[in-house]
Each structure stands twice: as C-alpha cells, then as structure tokens.
Amino acid sequence: MKNEKMSMEQKVLQLKNDIEAIKNEKLRKQLDLMKQEIETLEHHNEDVLHEQTASSSVFSSDQTLASVPSNTYSVVLEQQGPLGIEMEHHKTSDTVRVAHVKKRSQADKAGLCQGDIVVNFRSRKYPDGMNYAQFIALAKQGVRPLVLDITRVDPSVVGSSRRSGFFRKKKLR
C-alpha cells in the first residue's frame, strides 16, 4: 500500500511536470508567433515609411497644406548630418535650383529631385522664410528641421543651367 501511494505520488508529480512542460511549450510557440508578427509589422512599417519619404511632398506636423501654394511642395529635412544636395544660385534673380541630389541621402529620401526650383527656405528660427545665405549658414551649423518649398519643373523643358552658366553651384554637406 505504501509503495502504491509512493507510485501514485510519483505519477501525479510526473503529470504535473508534463503539464508544466506543455504550458511552457505552448507559451514558447505563442511567443514565437508574436515575434514573427512583430517582424512582419516592422517590415510593413519600413515599407510604408519608404513610400512616404519617396513621395514628392513631405509635411511636418506643424505645417498645413494651406501654408504653401498648390503647385509648391514642402520638403522637410530633419536628420542631422549631410543634406545630400548641391544647389545652383542665381544672385541677380535670387533663384535657387537643385543641381544634384545624392542617392540615399536625406534629401533623396525626403523627395527632392534634380531640377527642383526652391521658392522659399524655412526653419523654426525663420518660419516665414529666409534667404539663401541664411539657409546655407543654418545648414552648415546643423540646424534641423529645414524646410524647402519647391516647385517641380520638368528638366527636359528647362534644360541644364550648367551649360548656360546662369547659376552658381553651391555644394551642401
């Protein structure tokens, strides 16, 4: 009888251990499924962010669509470090054109394109606009965010200003 009781207690203990192991295995499986779901969501979010940054107009949270004319886009450069753009500046007309956009730079990710005409530069310090020299100074100081209000122009219609010598090129790092 005593042996039977011991054997029975051992069986109960073994069953409790088996139940615990099954629970742990189920929890591990659930945890693995949750990890997979998180990875899927992260990949989806990266795709959405890439699509958003590749669009031609990017607006900051403190900016409204009504703040710029309908044919003008606002491009927000928020990351520290190089902007990844070269600009050509015509002093007499105070016209600025994007001469080159470095691939995978923040300017590229924000949607700037070669040939875009910058109609206004803005920052927190100059919310209504600043001139080209002020923009260059703030960019070199690492001030962010910087906002460029641009008009998109078809380069095949305008042609290259480099050949005409009309613009002075300024490289932003």
Side-chain angles (χ1 to χ4, degrees), residues 38-52:
I38 288 170
E39 286 177 10
T40 302
L41 289 172
E42 286 174 341
H43 287 295
H44 176 71
N45 284 344
E46 286 174 10
D47 292 342
V48 168
L49 284 174
H50 178 61
E51 288 173 13
Q52 287 175 348

Side-chain angles (χ1 to χ4, degrees), residues 125-151:
K125 185 175 180 180
Y126 302 101
D128 295 324
M130 64 183 125
N131 64 37
Y132 179 70
Q134 290 168 319
F135 171 78
I136 295 297
L138 291 179
K140 286 182 177 181
Q141 292 170 16
V143 173
R144 303 293 184 271
L146 295 171
V147 180
L148 287 77
D149 296 329
I150 59 112
T151 299

Side-chain angles (χ1 to χ4, degrees), residues 1-35:
M1 184 93 159
K2 196 174 185 182
N3 283 343
E4 267 184 64
K5 189 175 180 184
M6 265 310 224
S7 170
M8 191 66 104
E9 287 177 359
Q10 286 176 341
K11 286 182 181 180
V12 169
L13 185 62
Q14 181 61 41
L15 286 173
K16 285 182 181 180
N17 287 341
D18 290 345
I19 290 171
E20 198 62 36
I22 290 170
K23 284 182 185 177
N24 288 341
E25 186 175 330
K26 283 183 180 179
L27 290 174
R28 267 189 242 111
K29 285 181 182 179
Q30 286 177 337
L31 183 62
D32 288 341
L33 287 173
M34 289 162 73
K35 285 179 182 177

Side-chain angles (χ1 to χ4, degrees), residues 59-65 67 76 78 122-124 127 145 147:
F59 293 92
S60 66
S61 58
D62 62 345
Q63 184 180 22
T64 65
L65 291 172
S67 66
V76 181
E78 298 180 293
R122 293 183 286 137
S123 69
R124 286 197 176 111
V147 180

